[in-house]
Amino acid sequence: MGVASLRKHVIELPKRVVVGEGILEEVPRYISELDLGRRVVLLSGPSATRSIALRVRQSLEDRHFEVCEFIVENASIETVRRVLDYAKECKPELVVGVGGGKVIDVAKFLARDLGVALVSIPTAPSHDGICSPFASIKGLDRPTSVKCVMPTLVVADIDVISLAPRRLILAGCGDLIGKLTAVLDWRLAHRLRGEYYGEYAASLALLSAKHVLRLYEEFSAKTIPREAVRTLVEALISSGVAMGIAGSTRPASGSEHMFAHALDIVANYPALHGEEVALGTIMMLYLHGKNWKRIKRILMKMGLPTTAKELGVKDYQIVEALTRAHEIRPERYTILGERGLTWDAAEKLARKTGVID
Ligand code: ZN
């Protein structure tokens, strides 16, 4: 990004976002109101969220939509290609993704390649891709997200989402807490490299992290109150919108995400994305000279992993991921610099922050 991006800047936003209780069966009406078409490819997950997708399917068929359904096992490029071949035969006018991260990611990719509208129906508040134009697909030449399409319609039914496992809810909190360092890194790149920095997009991303921190006691409770889940969903949507406004993942993804992606390579996707991001945020806050202790305390209180052991990885894998994080996205300048951390510095960092013993 350079001066050119200041001259021309495209902001992509969803046409409609509906957040509410008991709105799942209203999906056909929202689609009709936006005139998105009647031939639907419906993507769903294989297990827990399938019953929710079947409710959407039923309500669509009741209103005489034509539905082709495909069950998405994972978010790999092979899956995307298979679904694409199948989907082409249905000649869809829109793609509807009902599920967690993987399903929505594949749906985004599919909608882009088919050149049709996307409807995102998240079943868990585990990441900020619910309402962003970026998707993570395994097996591409890079582990980071790729630009697809912004969902035209997002339907977030709090009745459905608040039933998601606690671990997925906390992962969403972790993904948002990562905005603290993502925005610090963005400012750094602006000051050192003259990279475009959007104050508004940055504030919006930070706001989503602040709301999670403000509600940390609610998220620490045994049963997380629905109002807190609703705020989390709205914060995840805001973070996605911040990316739409910035035209890149910059406001939502910095060195903490690069660490998380590096750990996925080193330890083969050992934990949930938001859990890895949260742990990375502790260490990157330390590098930025910020109050990492406070954030670590909050993460511990909420029950997010703050050590290698809790995350299910070996100490050396944390160190290795730290030393490789800067290679993940070489064009994205962060606190890791161009050369990254030495093994010694990485080990000290992980030890100092209590991530490894
Ligand atoms: Zn993320």
Side-chain angles (χ1 to χ4, degrees), residues 185-258:
D185 284 322
W186 196 12
R187 277 189 205 142
L188 191 69
H190 174 62
R191 287 177 187 155
L192 292 181
R193 296 297 160 95
E195 188 185 307
Y196 161 75
Y197 173 74
E199 187 71 51
Y200 190 88
S203 311
L204 194 57
L206 271 186
L207 194 63
S208 65
K210 281 179 187 159
H211 276 286
V212 170
L213 295 173
R214 182 174 63 81
L215 292 174
Y216 84 90
E217 284 185 354
E218 277 86 338
F219 289 115
S220 310
K222 212 170 165 202
T223 314
I224 300 172
R226 287 165 74 92
E227 300 75 54
V229 174
R230 187 181 180 125
T231 304
L232 172 63
V233 169
E234 289 173 356
L236 291 166
I237 291 168
S238 298
S239 176
V241 167
M243 292 185 244
I245 292 174
S248 80
T249 58
R250 250 304 185 187
S253 166
S255 49
E256 76 299 321
H257 270 72
M258 282 150 68

Side-chain angles (χ1 to χ4, degrees), residues 12-18 30-31 33-36 93-95 108 111 115-120 130-133 149-155:
E12 278 183 67
L13 296 173
K15 260 195 189 151
R16 189 173 295 180
V17 178
V18 192
Y30 303 139
I31 292 174
E33 281 171 3
L34 293 173
D35 208 8
L36 300 179
E93 292 167 288
L94 72 154
V95 174
K108 279 181 193 170
V116 299
L118 169 67
V119 178
S120 162
I130 292 172
C131 179
S132 85
V149 289
M150 180 62 106
T152 304
L153 168 67
V154 181
V155 181

Side-chain angles (χ1 to χ4, degrees), residues 170-171 173-181 255-264 267 270-287 292-293 295-300 302-322 346 349-357:
L170 291 184
C173 294
D175 197 21
L176 289 181
I177 286 170
K179 313 315 167 205
L180 296 175
T181 43
S255 49
E256 76 299 321
H257 270 72
M258 282 150 68
F259 164 78
H261 292 311
L263 193 63
D264 284 337
L272 295 174
H273 169 72
E275 294 171 337
E276 297 170 8
V277 166
L279 187 99
T281 306
I282 299 173
M283 295 188 285
M284 300 310 150
L285 280 171
Y286 176 91
L287 289 181
W292 59 273
K293 285 184 183 162
I295 300 304
K296 184 178 173 182
R297 267 199 308 274
I298 289 176
L299 296 178
M300 284 168 77
M302 285 166 58
L304 274 157
T306 59
T307 64
K309 207 171 168 195
E310 285 168 3
L311 201 67
V313 297
K314 300 267 182 266
D315 286 3
Y316 79 88
Q317 290 176 316
I318 294 281
V319 179
E320 192 178 336
L322 281 170
L349 166 61
R351 208 160 265 148
K352 197 99 186 172
T353 48
V355 171
I356 66 173
D357 291 330

Side-chain angles (χ1 to χ4, degrees), residues 93-106:
E93 292 167 288
L94 72 154
V95 174
V96 177
V98 185
K102 294 177 190 105
V103 174
I104 305 284
D105 278 346
V106 172

